[in-house]
Amino acid sequence: MEKINRFNVVHRFRKRNLLIAINSVAGLSIFFFGYDQGMMAGVNTAVEYYTRMGFAHPDENGEPVITNSLLQGGIVSVYYLGTLIGALFGGWIGDKFGRIKTIALGAAWGVFGAALQTSAMNHNWMICARLINGFGTGILNAIVPVWATETAEHTSRGQFVAIEFTLNIFGVAVAYWIEYGCSFYQNGESAFVWRFPIAFQIVPLLVLLGGVWFFPESPRWLCKAGREDESRYVLERLREDGIESTGKAEAEFQDVRNIVELERKSAESQNYLYMLFGYKSGKLHTGRRVQLVIWLQIMQEWIGIAGVTIYSPTIFRIAGLTQDTIGWVAGLNTITYTLSTLVCVFTLDRIGRRWTLYWGSVVQGIVLFIAGGLSRVSIDAVDAGNQSRANAFGGGAVAMIFLFTMTFGATWLTVPWLYPAEIFPLEVRARGNAWGVVGWSIGNGWLTLLCPVMFNNINEKTLYIFAACNVITIPM
């Protein structure tokens, strides 16, 4: 295929090997996404960081005393304003200019934002840097899952996306352990403790920026763009072994072409505003689909994972753990979290999307209610001077948090990201996924802004709010 660069991996690999190569690059973006989320948990506890930003100071035991919880939450949450704007922009660019170019743009923008964060000298600088970094992340989040699902076969789509999100949580784990290691440098008082972990995210972004140009464009987007020969060739490499034609690639190409023609007739003028209200969508009902993916993503965060991921040190401190213990316990939680995502790899395509969400909500709601109760008993025991009782019940609360993150990794982590790519028509798929990222940004931004305030004022009762949100998702 002369129109495709001769260095493109599509000429070298076929079928599963080509899918693995594509998903490795997609996974690199998802790894960055996870790393960027997990990174702020350790950064927030670095002495030089929170004193420089002006929202806390250390007490006589070296533990942070939060003096401005709104500023602490604001620095974290402004990132999600950037992802919201970036997602809408990325969805539009992805549908207009293709998936590969959009991924490269997102990676370049992310490098710029990460560099600004690394060099931040005050909270105003950090807020602007996180806004910029979030914009790049939003672009990537809007388009990478679409690219991955459009190249995968429908029978294994869930499995491949689940594998990618194992890398996502692996990114969270890497962030925690890098920060835990850095915390010992110069007794944890150096700026290196927080600047190096922020700078580290530039590495996967540079690899993504340089490598994505050697990978094939989505065959579905190629067909939509009128580049049918390239689309047919990419599908042939993805579906056929090159020895004996099964007709699978040609049949899929004809399906894609027919769908493209049908959707152009029935879903014209699908800009973001039209999509939100379902205007001119006919029988496609895009407005209903948009509401589904937005609220699914919002609830994904409000069931508790955003608070646990970013503010786990605070949660473990409420449970009675010491400052020396919190770091490695939080890191251990990310390891079990990562391993739990492998469950979804084997169950998602077997039991379906809805049942995966159902059992996740039930278990998560129960363990969070228990974690809140055990934390309260532990706090009361400390006040009464009964340290052994406090340790026992605090340990039980920590175990419940571990069980919560493991259940989330096996259920709710993947489905909200897979749904948009499956329920939106091809003509607006990237923009449909962008609406999902908008929901994710709203849920994360809102929650990370309020979490420090809630933990400061109602302590362990914050976990009851998360548990209640799990209950609400069951009838949804």
Side-chain angles (χ1 to χ4, degrees):
M1 174 56 61
E2 294 178 0
K3 293 181 181 178
I4 300 177
N5 189 303
R6 65 191 180 94
F7 297 109
N8 198 298
V9 299
V10 74
H11 302 307
R12 186 176 184 85
F13 300 120
R14 279 185 176 273
K15 293 195 74 175
R16 191 169 184 83
N17 289 338
L18 181 55
L19 280 173
I20 290 171
I22 290 171
N23 279 274
S24 295
V25 173
L28 193 63
S29 173
I30 301 296
F31 169 85
F32 155 73
F33 164 39
Y35 183 91
D36 216 31
Q37 274 192 296
M39 175 191 75
M40 288 308 293
V43 169
N44 273 333
T45 62
V47 176
E48 210 278 341
Y49 172 78
Y50 61 68
T51 53
R52 178 178 292 278
M53 297 301 147
F55 61 77
H57 62 83
D59 65 11
E60 62 275 5
N61 298 318
E63 296 188 8
V65 176
I66 308 299
T67 56
N68 191 337
S69 57
L70 194 60
L71 177 59
Q72 180 192 19
I75 292 173
V76 175
S77 65
V78 72
Y79 170 83
Y80 298 103
L81 175 60
T83 62
L84 189 154
I85 300 168
L88 295 174
F89 181 74
W92 176 74
I93 290 288
D95 276 336
K96 191 172 182 64
F97 297 104
R99 312 327 189 196
I100 298 299
K101 291 177 181 177
T102 308
I103 292 171
L105 174 65
W109 200 281
V111 169
F112 177 52
L116 287 176
Q117 280 190 87
T118 305
S119 57
M121 300 303 293
N122 52 58
H123 65 262
N124 291 324
W125 187 330
M126 179 58 85
I127 287 170
C128 291
R130 283 189 60 74
L131 184 66
I132 292 169
N133 192 222
F135 185 84
T137 306
I139 293 173
L140 291 173
N141 286 355
I143 210 66
V144 170
V146 173
W147 181 55
T149 54
E150 287 180 341
T151 53
E153 289 191 79
H154 67 92
T155 55
S156 59
R157 190 175 291 150
Q159 184 183 53
F160 271 108
V161 173
I163 291 171
E164 286 173 4
F165 276 90
T166 298
L167 291 174
N168 171 260
I169 306 308
F170 179 64
V172 175
V174 169
Y176 270 81
W177 285 105
I178 285 178
E179 288 168 335
Y180 180 66
C182 289
S183 68
F184 293 100
Y185 181 72
Q186 294 186 358
N187 294 320
E189 296 176 359
S190 169
F192 177 85
V193 172
W194 65 273
R195 292 192 192 275
F196 177 78
I198 293 176
F200 186 81
Q201 66 185 295
I202 294 174
V203 176
L205 285 173
L206 288 176
V207 176
L208 179 64
L209 177 59
V212 73
W213 299 105
F214 300 99
F215 285 79
E217 183 57 85
S218 158
R220 293 173 180 266
W221 181 84
L222 288 170
C223 188
K224 175 189 163 188
R227 295 157 61 177
E228 294 187 356
D229 290 342
E230 293 174 68
S231 175
R232 182 184 272 114
Y233 177 76
V234 172
L235 276 171
E236 191 273 331
R237 300 292 295 187
L238 283 166
R239 307 291 183 252
E240 307 286 355
D241 58 16
I243 299 173
E244 183 179 352
S245 176
T246 62
K248 184 185 291 186
E250 183 61 26
E252 185 172 342
F253 171 75
Q254 294 300 331
D255 285 344
V256 169
R257 186 165 64 175
N258 291 337
I259 291 169
V260 167
E261 290 303 318
L262 177 64
E263 289 169 353
R264 278 179 179 158
K265 293 175 184 177
S266 59
E268 57 186 35
S269 302
Q270 286 294 338
N271 61 36
Y272 283 119
L273 195 60
Y274 285 4
M275 287 180 68
L276 182 61
F277 296 104
Y279 183 60
K280 287 189 177 181
S281 66
K283 294 181 180 180
L284 292 175
H285 302 295
T286 53
R288 186 187 305 167
R289 302 177 198 222
V290 167
Q291 292 298 324
L292 174 63
V293 298
I294 287 176
W295 283 103
L296 196 59
Q297 287 281 15
I298 289 174
M299 294 311 296
Q300 184 197 43
E301 304 312 318
W302 271 92
I303 59 178
I305 196 60
V308 171
T309 300
I310 298 173
Y311 296 105
S312 60
T314 302
I315 294 173
F316 292 142
R317 193 174 295 114
I318 289 172
L321 287 149
T322 64
Q323 187 67 21
D324 293 336
T325 308
I326 286 171
W328 67 264
V329 170
L332 186 61
N333 184 39
T334 63
I335 293 176
T336 57
Y337 187 10
T338 303
L339 294 175
S340 72
T341 61
L342 297 173
V343 174
C344 214
V345 173
F346 301 104
T347 62
L348 188 56
D349 286 323
R350 287 196 171 102
I351 68 174
R353 286 38 166 166
R354 293 180 68 182
W355 280 105
T356 299
L357 297 178
Y358 280 147
W359 82 261
S361 294
V362 171
V363 175
Q364 288 162 185
I366 291 171
V367 298
L368 284 173
F369 275 123
I370 295 173
L374 292 174
S375 295
R376 182 70 261 170
V377 175
S378 178
I379 292 168
D380 291 342
V382 170
D383 293 340
N386 191 340
Q387 193 59 48
S388 60
R389 180 179 171 84
N391 291 342
F393 281 91
V398 170
M400 290 300 104
I401 295 299
F402 270 61
L403 185 56
F404 165 78
T405 54
M406 290 171 66
T407 304
F408 181 89
T411 58
W412 270 82
L413 172 68
T414 304
V415 175
W417 292 101
L418 182 60
Y419 246 59
E422 291 187 324
I423 68 172
F424 279 105
L426 176 61
E427 186 74 10
V428 292
R429 183 166 290 160
R431 278 170 283 177
N433 196 65
W435 275 117
V437 182
V438 166
W440 174 82
S441 302
I442 293 170
N444 258 305
W446 184 16
L447 186 59
T448 53
L449 178 65
L450 293 178
C451 262
V453 179
M454 290 193 295
F455 284 129
N456 261 4
N457 290 281
I458 60 175
N459 265 345
E460 83 291 340
K461 295 180 182 66
T462 305
L463 300 180
Y464 298 149
I465 294 175
F466 296 155
C469 288
N470 276 279
V471 175
I472 291 170
T473 61
I474 295 173
M476 283 179 64

